[in-house]
Amino acid sequence: MREKILAIMEKNSRIDLKDLAILLGESEAAIANEIAEMEKEKVICGYHTLIDWDKTGEEKVTALIEVKVTPQRDMGFDKIAERIYQYNEVEAVYLMSGSFDFTIILEGKTMRQVALFVSEKLSTIDSVLSTSTHFILKKYKDHGTIMQKEDKDERMLISL
């Protein structure tokens, strides 16, 4: 039952408890208890709203930063990641395989603000060897949701 609850809630975290119970053929109480247990166990870590900031007046810049580091003895990558994710600008930190160690997702008001974060905060960490910053220019799909869906005119063309 857990996997089914998670699969549905991952796509729609606002689903009504009653609707979720009907979909899964379970009682509302059983679903509520299972969700509460998963929140307690940190299986469910939070609930988020996906916003298309391009459609608001708010200026935001999102950057993906690749980081190469030297792992710390007896602590590996964890302490470095912890230091990085403490910054408010940092939205996500991922340990990666491949040619760099971390991918950092960062939000700022301007490209300059992101550049200052990289030069003044990120690059000054002793273990950081190099960074490569990529700015997200347009989001087509985010968290499984298509962002710029065009309305299609499905009327038939008739000529006389």
Side-chain angles (χ1 to χ4, degrees):
M1 175 169 63
R2 276 187 164 206
E3 289 78 17
K4 290 179 182 177
I5 292 171
L6 293 172
I8 293 168
M9 289 184 69
E10 187 175 40
K11 296 290 181 195
N12 180 9
S13 63
R14 290 185 54 155
I15 189 167
D16 186 67
L17 196 57
K18 181 179 178 182
D19 293 337
L20 188 55
I22 291 168
L23 275 173
L24 299 175
E26 299 283 343
S27 71
E28 285 184 54
I31 298 294
N33 289 337
E34 194 64 37
I35 290 171
E37 187 65 26
M38 288 188 287
E39 289 171 342
K40 182 179 167 187
E41 294 171 7
K42 298 292 185 194
V43 172
I44 296 175
C45 301
Y47 300 90
H48 303 278
T49 303
L50 182 60
I51 299 169
D52 187 348
W53 288 104
D54 290 342
K55 294 183 179 175
T56 71
E58 184 75 21
E59 288 293 320
K60 282 192 177 219
V61 175
T62 305
L64 183 148
I65 306 167
E66 300 171 344
V67 184
K68 289 184 184 179
V69 300
T70 302
Q72 294 182 345
R73 187 177 199 150
D74 298 326
M75 291 182 242
F77 295 102
D78 295 345
K79 280 292 184 193
I80 303 165
E82 184 178 346
R83 181 153 179 212
I84 293 169
Y85 69 61
Q86 296 297 325
Y87 291 110
N88 290 332
E89 303 94 329
V90 174
E91 291 292 317
V93 178
Y94 304 106
L95 182 62
M96 306 296 292
S97 63
S99 61
F100 54 93
D101 301 304
F102 292 117
T103 295
I104 299 170
I105 307 295
L106 184 97
E107 283 192 352
K109 289 188 184 266
T110 64
M111 287 185 180
R112 179 166 171 70
Q113 187 181 40
V114 171
L116 287 173
F117 173 84
V118 172
S119 65
E120 294 176 359
K121 295 178 180 176
L122 190 57
S123 295
T124 61
I125 297 172
D126 290 336
S127 300
V128 172
L129 300 174
S130 67
T131 64
S132 179
T133 303
H134 309 274
F135 290 99
I136 295 174
L137 303 177
K138 183 175 182 178
K139 292 181 182 178
Y140 293 98
K141 188 173 184 178
D142 194 4
H143 291 84
T145 300
I146 296 170
M147 303 299 284
Q148 301 287 331
K149 203 171 198 177
E150 290 186 27
D151 294 330
K152 291 183 180 178
D153 187 356
E154 297 190 16
R155 295 178 289 175
M156 289 180 63
L157 179 62
I158 300 175
S159 61
L160 298 174

